[in-house]
Amino acid sequence: METGALLKPPEDATPDSPDAGGGESTFTVIVAAAANLGIALAKAVAGVVSGSSAMLSEAAHSVADTVTEVLLLTALKRSEKPADEDHPLGYGPERYIWALLAAVATFVGGAVFSLYDGIHTLLAGEDLGDPLLSYIVLAVAFLLEGYSLRTGLRQAHGEAVALGVPLRRYLRHTPDTAVKAVVLEDSAALAGLLLAAGGLLGGQLTGSGVWDGIASLCIGALLLYVAWVLGRSNVELLVGRPLPEPMRARIREELLASDHIEAVLELTTLVQGPREALVAAKIDLRDGSTATEIEWACEAAETRLRTAIPGISRVYLDPTPGRGGGLGARRG
């Protein structure tokens, strides 16, 4: 099922449900990429003119963010490809592979360079030039990054409100890692700009490049944290995250609503994308049900599941003999 077919999340949806994705993710990522591309060049020029390692670290930060946005756009586009014979379950999880590469780009392109440059500055020192251009670039960059962050937060807040959950919980659990990456990286960018300005100001007041080196190290540590959070989120989704327990309970209820289904012996769910999930269940059917009744019972159960939770894209039901009151959910 295509992600665009989901118009409204169910009332009991949660941030890590398949309905927690957003159709605005592509626009959000494009805005972030456009902002970072111009900022990276301006920071690099200002860093060379002022001799500030913190500004050069911020330039590396913006370059890493631009590469990240390109990877996220690739993830969004490739994950929308429909299922085919070679990929019968679709391409949804591919977005998390590209998003994981984006986290690696943040680590390598931003964090490692910033840490190296900060250590080099502390050990070798630096000649401070005129910081005026750097201050101007930082101010403009702050405005552009702020606009990009506002776009990401507006999308995230709208989806959090639709799901009835706090924004912080939505960002922590959402399977839409594209908007999560934009919000985290733009927040880190604003913090990095303040750190770079602090390093410049400290160097200007004291005449020492130590403050600039410390600012560069702090920017590197900040990027390490962002890369770790994004990497962990994408790895978790690649390994396989189930639907949350409230939704699994709802699925069991919908299956047991059938007159012919006596018990749900085993239930497996898998989030495949922001608005896509798979459900597989072993079900114990009523003794004496005919083949036709079993077929129609399974068809009706699948229809109820798709109606109750629109993000469910694939349903596999396996009629299985009961095991005499096993661990599965049974009709009350």
Side-chain angles (χ1 to χ4, degrees):
M1 181 179 64
E2 295 182 359
T3 58
L6 298 171
L7 302 178
K8 183 179 178 181
E11 294 180 359
D12 61 345
T14 60
D16 50 349
S17 75
D19 300 290
E24 301 176 5
S25 296
T26 299
F27 175 73
T28 299
V29 173
I30 289 175
V31 169
N36 285 318
L37 189 59
I39 291 171
L41 180 59
K43 287 178 180 176
V45 173
V48 172
V49 172
S50 66
S52 169
S53 66
M55 283 301 297
L56 292 176
S57 295
E58 273 299 295
H61 182 176
S62 294
V63 170
D65 284 353
T66 303
V67 174
T68 294
E69 313 308 343
V70 172
L71 291 172
L72 290 176
L73 284 173
T74 303
L76 291 172
K77 294 303 180 184
R78 290 190 62 85
S79 64
E80 292 175 355
K81 295 169 61 178
D84 53 36
E85 185 175 349
D86 294 328
H87 300 84
L89 297 182
Y91 292 80
E94 187 169 348
R95 75 161 54 212
Y96 302 123
I97 296 175
W98 290 95
L100 180 60
L101 292 176
V104 173
T106 299
F107 172 75
V108 176
V112 172
F113 179 86
S114 297
L115 291 173
Y116 167 79
D117 203 41
I119 294 173
H120 180 269
T121 298
L122 291 177
L123 295 178
E126 66 180 11
D127 296 325
L128 298 177
D130 187 358
L132 178 60
L133 179 59
S134 293
Y135 284 128
I136 294 174
V137 169
L138 289 174
V140 174
F142 197 89
L143 293 176
L144 293 175
E145 294 284 9
Y147 175 75
S148 177
L149 177 60
R150 176 178 174 271
T151 302
L153 284 176
R154 184 169 57 184
Q155 178 190 345
H157 180 265
E159 293 172 1
V161 170
L163 294 168
V165 298
L167 177 61
R168 186 171 181 176
R169 183 185 175 198
Y170 170 82
L171 289 174
R172 181 180 300 174
H173 297 289
T174 177
D176 190 350
T177 53
V179 69
K180 182 175 183 175
V182 169
V183 171
L184 282 179
E185 290 176 354
D186 285 344
S187 298
L190 291 177
L193 292 172
L194 294 176
L195 288 170
L200 285 171
L201 182 60
Q204 191 176 9
L205 294 176
T206 64
S208 171
V210 170
W211 294 101
D212 206 44
I214 292 175
S216 186
L217 289 176
C218 291
I219 292 170
L222 182 65
L223 291 177
L224 275 179
Y225 174 74
V226 171
W228 176 74
V229 171
L230 294 178
R232 183 185 62 177
S233 298
N234 286 289
V235 167
E236 184 180 273
L237 286 160
L238 281 172
V239 171
R241 180 198 291 178
L243 291 174
E245 177 55 37
M247 297 189 73
R248 298 201 298 270
R250 175 74 177 276
I251 290 171
R252 291 187 180 94
E253 291 176 3
E254 294 296 334
L255 290 173
L256 292 174
S258 171
D259 293 336
H260 294 277
I261 298 177
E262 293 291 331
V264 179
L265 304 175
E266 183 180 322
L267 178 64
T268 300
T269 64
L270 179 66
V271 175
Q272 296 184 290
R275 297 190 174 191
E276 191 174 4
L278 177 148
V279 173
K282 289 181 178 292
I283 54 175
D284 179 19
L285 289 134
R286 188 182 64 189
D287 294 341
S289 297
T290 66
T292 300
E293 288 173 334
I294 290 175
E295 290 174 351
W296 282 107
C298 291
E299 183 70 21
E302 179 176 348
T303 300
R304 277 196 302 272
L305 287 179
R306 291 178 182 272
T307 301
I309 307 175
I312 293 178
S313 55
R314 296 173 182 86
V315 178
Y316 302 101
L317 300 178
D318 179 13
T320 305
R323 298 184 178 89
L327 297 178
R330 305 192 73 84
R331 187 186 301 279

